[in-house]
Amino acid sequence: MPPQAPMQYEWRVTDADEPSLVRLAQRLALKIAVGDVVALYGDLGAGKTTFARALIRAVLGDPQAEIPSPTFSLVQTYVAERLELAHLDLYRLSGEDELIELGLDEQLSIGAAIIEWPERAPGLRVPNRLDIHLSQGAEPDQRTLILSGTGTWTARLARLAAMSDFLAQSPPWNCAETSYLQGDASARAYARLARDGKTAILMDQPRQPDGAPIRGGLPYSRIAQLAEDVRAFVAVASALKETGLSAPEIYSIDLGRGFLALEDFGDRVFGREVASGTSQEELWRAATDALLVLSTLPVPEAIALPDGTVHRIPAQDGTVLGIEVELLPDWYWRAIHGAPIPAEPRQEFMAVWEGVFARLASEPKGWVLRDFHSPNLVWLPHRDSYRRAGLLDFQDALVGSSAYDLVSLLQDARVDVPAALEDKLLTYYIRMRKAADSTFDREAFRFAYAALGVQRNTKILGIFARLAMRDGKHTYLRHIPRIWSYVARGLAHPELAGLARWFDRYLPAEVRLTPPDLSRLEATPS
């Protein structure tokens, strides 16, 4: 049986002038990845080099970068923060064997290649390729482009076309410059839009589950009640903004395709502010004050969306908490031991957690934004009081214990929070809650704080192992010693003695100090 031709996606852009070509190149730069070949076809003067330069400058993040033509050198290389780029001009190529001498295979193992005159190497085959044919448009200064993608470029090009259509319907951002922003640990992607001195953030989140079904036909994201599209973000943002909390304004919405244009809070995220010398106590106290305000707000039964539907905030129940702690035996254990966890310690682990979850179920419930920590908090010093804490990444919000967000903040996974500062702000929070509500139970809250701190940090250990093993993202592993220190803080609570005994028996101190073996991180739990 003859091999099937690879699936392709084709997108036609007609009569684009030079600024439009540059904007297209900037958007394409958001999607380029290691192993890609971007092949530029067209006659002399068609605009191949203009497009290549715009694409390289966008990846470099430097609109003024000098990009010499590789006509005589055949190849020019560039090192960007995200990946390396090779710019090749094959017009003078003497034969396809010369590609080996140019080091194309090696380049594609660490970066991407932009190739002009690719027809000079008809035998070049790569899994993920984007072909762009440029030709004369209706006017002398216009070009028509036909873009076709194979491999993973099939989906990426379709997404790029959808993004461009969304922006075309979202003035003034239709003519905005676009620059890449580093995303988070999720599948969401972000970019900064800039036009006439104003900026916005483009959120790109196509609807998709987090992985394959794992239980009852459901993926992890569905069991853990993680948002699988932008609908939850839109709903929660509207609810938070109504109360005066600093959630971003949403300028433009496409619920169906998963695009949002958002207010740009800037780059002063809490972790960066601490590193630059801003008082950590001032930052963390402003965020604590925001949580105190949040604790007074009822959770709506349903939040209306622009399309006439509603979003209901899920409960942070034992099912959600349980599937999260399972990440430790499913992923972290394997990363440490190189083998699945035996049945007995796994059963003991889940049994002791069930008792903790039963106790937590009786606690008062309110808003849980869920990822309330330094990467998702932006310092807005020009605002007042709790509004100085700009809120991001709250689409996974739940109804649960308010202790969860507080421990997320005071035991930050990415930034060291000294135990003295944690205790000071925890005491402050409890005092303010008690002053506002005489029925507030201090000791019950301290238990919930300790228990949910261990629960969250247990989950994070598993997530960081999963990011490394499943997604090849190893940078998060450097945070593991900090996470274990937080686990130890929580396990010191006397009512978590049973949980502490499990950790001491199966993951004692010497094991906690053992970093995951990177040689085992390609395996996937069965």
Side-chain angles (χ1 to χ4, degrees):
M1 183 176 180
Q4 293 183 336
M7 292 182 61
Q8 285 191 334
Y9 179 87
E10 187 172 287
W11 177 34
R12 185 181 183 91
V13 179
T14 58
D15 299 335
D17 57 15
E18 185 167 338
S20 298
L21 284 179
V22 171
R23 287 195 294 271
L24 176 59
Q26 290 172 347
R27 295 169 190 174
L28 193 155
L30 304 177
K31 302 295 183 183
I32 198 166
V34 172
D36 286 347
V37 164
V38 177
L40 301 175
Y41 293 84
D43 295 334
L44 286 170
K48 299 186 297 298
T49 301
T50 297
F51 190 89
R53 283 175 172 151
L55 177 55
I56 294 166
R57 286 170 177 150
V59 173
L60 292 175
D62 182 359
Q64 305 303 320
E66 183 69 25
I67 311 296
S69 171
T71 300
F72 295 102
S73 62
L74 297 187
V75 61
Q76 294 282 349
T77 58
Y78 305 88
V79 179
E81 185 175 347
R82 292 164 49 203
L83 78 171
E84 293 191 15
L85 283 178
H87 180 198
L88 295 91
D89 185 328
L90 304 187
Y91 187 76
R92 297 174 59 250
L93 193 73
S94 59
E96 290 192 58
D97 290 346
E98 199 172 349
L99 285 175
I100 299 175
E101 299 175 20
L102 294 175
L104 182 60
D105 288 344
E106 181 181 352
Q107 173 62 37
L108 294 179
S109 70
I110 57 173
I114 303 165
I115 302 179
E116 298 184 48
W117 299 103
E119 53 267 61
R120 302 284 291 173
L124 177 61
R125 299 285 186 270
V126 294
N128 303 316
R129 174 167 168 155
L130 176 64
D131 288 349
I132 303 178
H133 292 259
L134 297 97
S135 60
Q136 179 65 53
E139 300 294 336
D141 62 342
Q142 294 177 334
R143 298 293 181 267
T144 290
L145 296 85
I146 299 175
L147 301 88
S148 58
T150 57
T152 59
W153 264 111
T154 301
R156 281 185 279 165
L157 184 57
R159 193 66 185 165
L160 183 64
M163 176 198 301
S164 294
D165 184 60
F166 167 72
L167 291 173
Q169 300 176 47
S170 306
W173 311 115
N174 54 322
C175 293
E177 295 182 355
T178 308
S179 57
Y180 174 86
L181 288 179
Q182 180 64 46
D184 52 23
S186 74
R188 289 181 295 277
Y190 300 91
R192 175 166 280 125
L193 306 172
R195 185 181 185 190
D196 298 333
K198 298 180 180 180
T199 62
I201 299 299
L202 173 66
M203 179 190 288
D204 174 0
Q205 184 184 3
R207 180 173 178 79
Q208 59 183 1
D210 184 15
I214 62 170
R215 186 171 302 158
L218 298 176
Y220 173 86
S221 57
R222 198 76 50 80
I223 301 170
Q225 297 290 356
L226 300 177
E228 296 180 349
D229 56 29
V230 299
R231 302 171 65 82
F233 185 96
V234 173
V236 177
S238 68
L240 296 177
K241 281 193 69 64
E242 286 179 5
T243 66
L245 288 162
S246 292
E249 182 180 350
I250 302 178
Y251 303 134
S252 188
I253 300 172
D254 188 329
L255 293 177
R257 293 185 293 186
F259 294 107
L260 302 175
L262 308 170
E263 179 182 3
D264 184 2
F265 281 162
D267 297 320
R268 300 184 68 175
V269 292
F270 273 27
R272 189 174 298 168
E273 285 296 294
V274 170
S276 67
T278 303
S279 165
Q280 186 175 24
E281 181 171 349
E282 182 181 15
L283 295 165
W284 263 245
R285 184 176 288 271
T288 301
D289 285 336
L291 290 179
L292 284 166
V293 172
L294 189 67
S295 72
T296 68
L297 307 177
V299 181
E301 181 179 343
I303 304 172
L305 288 164
D307 64 355
T309 62
V310 298
H311 174 70
R312 301 182 190 279
I313 306 297
Q316 190 183 41
D317 56 19
T319 299
V320 171
L321 295 169
I323 197 68
E324 289 180 336
V325 297
E326 285 187 52
L327 291 169
L328 183 137
D330 286 348
W331 293 91
Y332 189 81
W333 182 285
R334 181 184 287 262
I336 290 294
H337 296 289
I341 186 172
E344 182 178 350
R346 182 189 176 87
Q347 291 167 0
E348 291 178 15
F349 180 76
M350 296 310 300
V352 70
W353 272 116
E354 286 175 8
V356 174
F357 298 154
R359 167 87 180 269
L360 290 170
S362 64
E363 298 300 322
K365 301 297 185 289
W367 278 102
V368 176
L369 300 187
R370 205 171 193 177
D371 283 312
F372 197 86
H373 61 157
S374 61
N376 300 327
L377 296 168
V378 184
W379 186 231
L380 305 173
H382 55 285
R383 300 189 183 185
D384 66 309
S385 185
Y386 62 87
R387 296 180 181 86
R388 294 177 297 169
L391 310 181
L392 305 174
D393 200 9
F394 39 68
Q395 63 279 332
D396 297 326
L398 301 168
V399 180
S401 170
S402 56
Y404 190 89
D405 283 343
L406 186 63
V407 79
S408 301
L409 173 69
L410 302 185
Q411 293 185 359
D412 192 290
R414 314 288 180 85
V415 176
D416 289 329
V417 180
L421 179 58
E422 177 188 4
D423 184 64
K424 183 176 183 178
L425 291 178
L426 173 59
T427 302
Y428 166 72
Y429 180 93
I430 291 173
R431 184 176 73 250
M432 298 302 289
R433 287 289 302 271
K434 186 67 175 178
D437 178 7
S438 61
T439 66
F440 180 76
D441 189 329
R442 296 185 183 93
E443 294 310 312
F445 185 86
R446 284 189 177 274
F447 169 78
Y449 180 91
L452 289 170
V454 178
Q455 187 274 345
R456 175 174 170 82
N457 287 303
T458 295
K459 173 188 74 171
I460 291 172
L461 288 169
I463 286 175
F464 286 173
R466 184 178 68 180
L467 285 168
M469 297 172 73
R470 188 189 71 183
D471 304 333
K473 299 178 179 179
H474 296 163
T475 59
Y476 295 95
L477 298 178
R478 70 181 187 273
H479 300 299
I480 283 179
R482 178 185 303 113
I483 305 305
W484 274 120
S485 73
Y486 294 148
V487 171
R489 291 185 198 179
L491 291 175
H493 194 286
E495 294 180 66
L496 295 177
L499 196 56
R501 284 193 294 271
W502 187 92
F503 276 94
D504 288 342
R505 179 179 179 185
Y506 293 111
L507 290 171
E510 59 271 21
V511 174
R512 300 174 202 179
L513 294 174
T514 303
D517 185 349
L518 295 181
S519 67
R520 297 168 174 162
L521 296 184
E522 301 306 319
T524 301
S526 57

